[in-house]
């Protein structure tokens, strides 16, 4: 929704012992990097049922200064994963129910989804969790549509993510929802993580790009990203990499999990979405700048990827409002 924020948005992260340090570090790392017009976009507060020393799933002990009263001040609540997901603290469940009653956004990372489920927040909704816990969640909560094959899922104000690094995708999705793709992608660049990747929302269902597993083709991928507006071919990519088309294809598949042309199309669509969110360019101009060719092509790819036409996508996510200048293509 990209509000014109006058004050920082507050994020309360719940650390239920024994908490996952990795899960807990993700929100603070990413949200603290958000800058909007030179100002911080978020204030992140870590809280626990019992303030003070909090056991972790590793050998470290964490000291958390705030209690669950922090949820009353939050715009978004995130429950980090825990080593004991099946017996959440009743105080956490009550605090989550109270927060949900005020309409705030509530999310979980990894096994934190069990707290949302036990609080009754996910009943009749779609959710996900770490794949190793998915069957147990289905068994305990048959009234939840558990998706074990997505990075994250959103159903109304409730968001859940699968294990470990999927928490990064979840937080970037929240940043994108609040401040747009340009801000979220800048945070991703600063944190040296993959750009915003769609998760499991019905209207944005797709197969996201797998994590990259190598760097030998990084220069060529970077060059391609800087030249998305040009009609790049396999031959162009192979020439830049200094290898044959066959070798290029093999490397892309090994490092990115997809073919060069699949990767290129994904990046073009992501560029188009960012331009729709952050500029008033016409549909033809967005299509040209992202390398999708025409407004007709832009429309076809965006509808297939998100379920929304370009004009509908802009109306829902633009930081500039719904108005676009005269001359905007009628193909939307």
């Amino acid at each position: 929704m990209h509000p014109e924020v006058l004050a920082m948005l507050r994020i309360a992260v719940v650390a239920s012992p024994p908490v996952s340090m990795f899960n807990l570090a993700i929100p603070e790392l990413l949200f603290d990097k958000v800058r909007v017009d030179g100002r911080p976009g978020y204030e992140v507060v870590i809280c626990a049922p019992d303030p003070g020393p909090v056991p972790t799933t590793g050998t470290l002990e964490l000291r958390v200064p705030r209690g669950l009263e922090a949820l009353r001040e939050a715009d978004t609540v995130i429950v980090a994963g825990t080593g004991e997901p099946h017996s959440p603290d009743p105080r956490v469940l009550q605090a989550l129910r109270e927060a949900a009653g005020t309409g705030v956004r509530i999310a979980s990372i990894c096994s934190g989804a069990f707290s949302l489920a036990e609080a009754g927040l996910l009943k009749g909704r779609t959710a996900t969790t770490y794949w190793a816990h998915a069957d147990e969640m289905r068994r305990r909560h048959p009234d939840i549509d558990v998706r074990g094959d997505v990075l994250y899922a959103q159903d109304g104000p409730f968001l859940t993510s699968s294990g470990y690094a999927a928490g990064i995708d979840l937080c970037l999705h929240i940043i994108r929802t609040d401040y747009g793709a340009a801000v979220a992608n800048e945070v991703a660049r600063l944190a040296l993580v993959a750009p915003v990747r769609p998760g499991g929302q019905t209207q944005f269902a797709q197969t996201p790009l797998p994590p990259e597993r190598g760097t030998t083709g990084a220069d060529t991928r970077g060059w391609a990203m800087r030249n998305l507006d040009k009609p790049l071919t396999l031959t162009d990519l192979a020439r830049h990499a200094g290898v044959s088309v066959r070798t290029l294809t093999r490397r892309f598949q090994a490092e990115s999990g997809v073919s060069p042309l699949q990767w290129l199309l994904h990046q073009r669509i992501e560029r188009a979405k960012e331009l729709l969110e952050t500029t008033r360019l016409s549909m033809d101009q967005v299509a040209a700048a992202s390398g999708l060719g025409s407004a007709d092509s832009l429309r076809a790819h965006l509808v297939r990827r998100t379920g929304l036409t370009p004009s509908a996508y802009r109306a829902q996510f633009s930081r500039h409002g719904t108005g676009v200048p005269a001359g905007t293509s009628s193909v939307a």
Side-chain angles (χ1 to χ4, degrees), residues 20 23 42 96 108 154 156 159 172 183 200 221 234 267 302 331:
S20 164
N23 280 191
Y42 297 96
L96 290 176
S108 65
Q154 178 168 7
L159 300 93
L172 289 174
V183 173
R221 290 193 293 271
L234 276 175
Q267 304 304 335
L302 202 65
V331 178

Side-chain angles (χ1 to χ4, degrees), residues 216-217 220-221 233-255 258-261:
T216 58
T220 295
R221 290 193 293 271
T233 65
L234 276 175
T235 302
D236 294 328
L237 295 171
R239 183 180 298 116
H240 182 275
V243 297
S244 68
V245 169
R246 185 173 181 178
T247 298
L248 174 84
T249 301
R250 187 174 64 251
R251 285 185 182 176
F252 254 84
Q253 192 71 47
E255 295 184 8
V258 293
S259 73
L261 294 183

Side-chain angles (χ1 to χ4, degrees), residues 198 204-210 266 305:
F204 298 129
Q206 71 173 89
T207 301
L209 291 185
H266 180 91
R305 182 63 59 89

